[in-house]
């Protein structure tokens, strides 16, 4: 009988076979190596490393003869496309998250019963560093970071943080439980300058993070949030959040905002990414090019 230790270090296909109470067909993609930017360490940002994927999918048998028809079976392309799609969706810190997302996408396929995903970093140590997960159809659909509520995105310029109108609008949001996420900008002339483009982009994002903390200090109802999961939780729990952009923007591989220092570009990009219901701005109207027309709030609300 195969030991648990042997199974722990066996290929996912061996684990799949040993763990199956019933014999199911399997398809696999083995030793699929891709250059990926991933990792939580600063040294892993701005560079790629080799990552190896091994995926085994247990599939339910078709009701009748597949008649050698590729359109009726779960193909290898389903696996490789899941890997490609999840790598393109945004930069991740953890292999665990990437494995979960790949498994979740594969399990959407009607024929998929269970999936084993092993991912290994090949360049981060003397050996291979990796994770392996197993997910079944019962687990599908429980992973994701899409917002459950389409909020109002409200731009609060740095100079209006102390404005009494902001307090009146916060009262309005609090009483009406209007889903809202505040966005601010870096303090004028406060971002240090350097000659490295990648580092300067990081500095500019962190400067906006600092402003978000300053804004939150004006009112205890405002909570600083930096991830989609936090944003979603805040919306579902009627929390007034202010966006600290460094994590979300730094993690985006394709389609990231180009002009970090243009606050209205950041607002438009963020609103589009969240599929916001509307975009508001506090104070003097500013020029804004994008999909959303900005509703500039020059007077406090009259409903409280």
């Amino acid at each position: 009988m195969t030991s648990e230790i042997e199974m722990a270090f066996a290929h996912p296909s061996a684990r799949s076979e040993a763990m199956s109470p019933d014999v199911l067909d399997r398809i696999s993609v083995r030793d699929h190596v891709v250059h990926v930017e991933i990792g939580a360490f600063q040294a892993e940002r701005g560079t790629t490393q080799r990552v190896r994927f091994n995926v085994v999918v247990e599939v339910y048998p078709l009701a009748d003869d597949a008649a050698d028809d590729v359109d009726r079976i779960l193909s290898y392309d389903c696996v490789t496309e899941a890997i490609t799609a999840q790598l393109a969706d945004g930069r991740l810190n953890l292999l665990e998250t990437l494995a979960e997302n790949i498994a979740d996408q594969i399990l959407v396929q009607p024929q998929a019963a269970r999936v084993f995903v092993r991912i290994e970093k090949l360049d981060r140590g003397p050996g291979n560093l990796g994770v392996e997960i197993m997910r079944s159809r019962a687990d599908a659909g429980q992973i994701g970071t899409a917002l459950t509520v389409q909020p109002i995105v409200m731009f609060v310029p740095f100079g209006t943080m102390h404005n009494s109108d902001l307090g009146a609008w916060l009262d309005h949001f609090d009483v009406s439980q209007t889903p809202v996420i505040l966005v601010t900008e870096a303090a004028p002339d406060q971002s240090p300058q350097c000659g490295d483009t990648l580092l300067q982009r990081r500095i500019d994002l962190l400067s906006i993070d600092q402003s978000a903390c300053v804004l939150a200090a004006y009112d205890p109802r405002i909570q600083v949030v930096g991830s989609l999961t936090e944003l979603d939780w805040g919306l579902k729990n009627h929390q007034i959040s202010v966006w600290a952009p460094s994590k979300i923007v730094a993690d985006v591989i394709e389609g990231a905002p180009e002009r970090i220092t243009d606050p209205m570009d950041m607002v438009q990009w963020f609103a589009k990414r969240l599929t916001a219901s509307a975009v508001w701005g506090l104070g003097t109207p500013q020029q804004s090019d994008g999909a959303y027309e900005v509703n500039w709030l020059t007077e406090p609300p009259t409903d409280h």
Side-chain angles (χ1 to χ4, degrees):
M1 182 176 179
T2 305
S3 73
E4 288 295 320
I5 294 178
E6 289 175 330
M7 280 296 96
F9 290 94
H11 190 276
S13 59
R15 288 178 58 83
S16 171
E17 183 174 359
M19 294 175 65
S20 293
D22 300 307
V23 177
L24 290 175
D25 295 340
R26 301 174 186 88
I27 68 167
S28 64
V29 172
R30 299 190 181 190
D31 299 329
H32 180 65
V33 178
V34 183
H35 284 79
V36 180
E37 182 183 343
I38 191 169
F41 291 94
Q42 192 62 36
E44 295 178 291
R45 291 188 175 273
T47 187
T48 61
Q49 57 185 296
R50 291 178 304 148
V51 175
R52 180 166 60 201
F53 297 83
N54 281 284
V55 181
V56 175
V57 186
E58 293 181 341
V59 295
Y60 295 116
L62 294 173
D64 52 14
D65 186 7
D68 205 32
D69 186 351
V70 69
D71 291 333
R72 298 187 59 198
I73 57 126
L74 193 156
S75 72
Y76 308 110
D77 287 344
C78 172
V79 177
T80 56
E81 287 171 3
I83 295 171
T84 301
Q86 294 306 321
L87 290 176
D89 191 49
R91 188 190 186 283
L92 294 173
N93 291 324
L94 302 177
L95 293 181
E96 289 86 345
T97 305
L98 179 57
E100 292 271 10
N101 294 347
I102 290 170
D104 200 43
Q105 180 168 335
I106 293 172
L107 287 166
V108 171
Q109 299 295 321
Q111 203 183 354
R114 189 163 61 169
V115 59
F116 294 75
V117 181
R118 175 184 289 175
I119 309 178
E120 299 167 289
K121 293 180 180 180
L122 304 182
D123 301 324
R124 285 295 293 170
N128 301 333
L129 310 179
V131 300
E132 180 180 321
I133 68 169
M134 183 277 290
R135 295 294 181 267
S136 67
R137 175 163 295 280
D139 303 315
Q142 299 181 13
I143 304 164
T145 53
L147 297 187
T148 57
V149 179
Q150 275 59 61
I152 292 170
V153 170
M154 180 172 172
F155 174 54
V156 181
F158 190 85
T160 65
M161 289 185 183
H162 62 282
N163 191 318
S164 61
D165 287 356
L166 175 59
W169 279 107
L170 293 178
D171 292 340
H172 166 76
F173 297 141
D174 201 11
V175 172
S176 64
Q177 296 189 341
T178 301
V180 63
I181 298 173
L182 308 179
V183 179
T184 188
E185 61 183 337
D189 304 320
Q190 292 301 306
S191 296
Q193 302 297 304
C194 72
D196 185 288
T197 302
L198 185 62
L199 287 177
Q200 187 61 55
R201 183 179 177 85
R202 184 71 172 164
I203 290 169
D204 292 337
L205 287 169
L206 291 173
S207 296
I208 304 174
D209 284 2
Q210 285 185 312
S211 293
C213 293
V214 172
L215 178 55
Y218 278 97
D219 193 292
R221 291 171 293 186
I222 304 175
Q223 300 297 316
V224 180
V225 295
S227 69
L228 287 174
T229 300
E230 291 177 302
L231 289 167
D232 192 39
W233 186 93
L235 290 171
K236 289 186 290 189
N237 289 276
H238 311 296
Q239 172 182 286
I240 300 173
S241 302
V242 58
W243 178 45
S246 61
K247 181 185 186 309
I248 291 177
V249 174
D251 287 352
V252 171
I253 295 176
E254 297 181 2
E258 295 182 1
R259 297 187 293 179
I260 300 296
T261 55
D262 186 325
M264 294 313 299
D265 266 16
M266 288 285 284
V267 168
Q268 288 282 351
W269 179 85
F270 185 56
K272 183 177 180 181
R273 184 170 178 84
L274 299 188
T275 319
S277 61
V279 173
W280 294 356
L282 185 64
T284 305
Q286 300 182 27
Q287 179 66 34
S288 178
D289 299 321
Y292 287 86
E293 181 178 352
V294 182
N295 176 30
W296 289 97
L297 310 171
T298 56
E299 297 181 358
T302 58
D303 57 351
H304 71 283

